[in-house]
Amino acid sequence: MNGVHDLGGTDGLGPVPVPASEPLFRAEWEKAAFAMFSMPFRAGFFGVDAFRYGIEQMHPAVYLLSPYYEHWMHATEHYGVAKGVLDEAEIEKRTQYYLENPDAPLPQRDDPYLMAFVDGVVKAGAPAGRPSDKVARFAVGDRVTVIADAPHGHTRKARYVRGKTGVVEMAHGTMIYPDSAGNGGPEAPEHVYTVKFTNEELWGAEAAEPNGVVYFDVWEPYIEAAS
């Protein structure tokens, strides 16, 4: 999907400021937005890839001008409405209520099983590895080129690596394929490789920092043997 969320290599946005230290949350509402993710995730409304695709449905201007956890809230609302669990009019009503009553307490609900789930996922993550009998087409040391197309829907094939050639540095086995799972399809595991690209290959000799490289993880359908 060629949207504004795919910012890698985009000119004109200026440097990325990296503060020496920053709080985990910049506002109280961000804590609630973070917590919202766990409930629909556990309920099967979305996996990580579909969650990302939900964020990609945001209006481009809103996406660029909104804070990080507002993106999370949008994805949760998007799938909640799509599944018929949330009502857009009720969301607007609740939003207006809290705008008018900013000190009103949030609804509380005890769910020890959900808390145990969140505790486990936050500490251990949600592994994407899946078994498959597919035989790997590539091996460490192979030169490969990222296929230069424009996939419809969700993809992890960033624009700045499309059409570029690099060398396979690592093979990770089979993992959930985001171009399927993120678009409402099955997990469809595919082999994943870490490919090393030179800066010159990605940005051109004049713009590239000398002797630099970029490592990028690709799923097997993204690549072909370099000619």
Side-chain angles (χ1 to χ4, degrees):
M1 183 175 182
N2 297 320
V4 298
H5 56 277
D6 186 2
L7 295 176
T10 302
D11 291 329
L13 294 177
V16 177
V18 182
S21 63
E22 59 181 329
L24 291 176
F25 299 102
R26 295 180 179 274
E28 284 298 308
W29 69 265
E30 292 186 343
K31 298 177 182 179
F34 177 78
M36 285 180 193
F37 173 86
S38 60
M39 291 177 282
F41 182 82
R42 186 184 67 159
F45 283 13
F46 51 70
V48 172
D49 298 300
F51 177 72
R52 290 187 176 120
Y53 190 39
I55 293 174
E56 293 163 10
Q57 308 306 302
M58 297 180 72
H59 187 282
V62 176
Y63 177 87
L64 291 174
L65 295 173
S66 56
Y68 179 76
Y69 282 109
E70 189 170 328
H71 301 175
W72 283 42
M73 289 177 60
H74 178 276
T76 299
E77 292 179 5
H78 171 80
Y79 286 109
V81 171
K83 297 288 185 179
V85 174
L86 298 178
D87 177 76
E88 289 189 67
E90 180 63 22
I91 293 173
E92 290 298 324
K93 181 180 177 181
R94 288 291 189 98
T95 300
Q96 187 61 37
Y97 172 78
Y98 282 106
L99 286 173
E100 296 172 355
N101 302 275
D103 296 325
L106 295 175
Q108 300 294 316
R109 181 168 69 92
D110 292 328
D111 188 338
Y113 297 104
L114 177 62
M115 293 304 298
F117 171 80
V118 172
D119 188 57
V121 170
V122 168
K123 291 179 179 177
R130 296 293 187 272
S132 173
D133 57 3
K134 290 185 176 181
V135 177
R137 292 175 51 214
F138 303 101
V140 172
D142 288 349
R143 292 182 70 251
V144 296
T145 300
V146 180
I147 298 169
D149 59 1
H152 177 72
H154 180 66
T155 184
R156 300 293 284 171
K157 187 197 298 185
R159 282 195 300 268
Y160 75 92
V161 298
R162 297 179 195 174
K164 306 301 183 180
T165 297
V167 177
V168 175
E169 290 287 306
M170 299 180 68
H172 302 285
T174 49
M175 299 186 182
I176 297 172
Y177 185 40
D179 296 51
S180 176
N183 294 306
E187 292 186 337
E190 296 283 354
H191 283 274
V192 178
Y193 309 90
T194 295
V195 177
K196 181 175 72 174
F197 300 92
T198 65
N199 284 357
E200 183 174 343
E201 171 69 9
L202 293 178
W203 318 120
E206 292 185 4
E209 294 180 355
N211 303 318
V213 297
V214 172
Y215 293 89
F216 194 94
D217 291 337
V218 299
W219 278 259
E220 193 167 271
Y222 292 0
I223 55 178
E224 58 189 2
S227 59

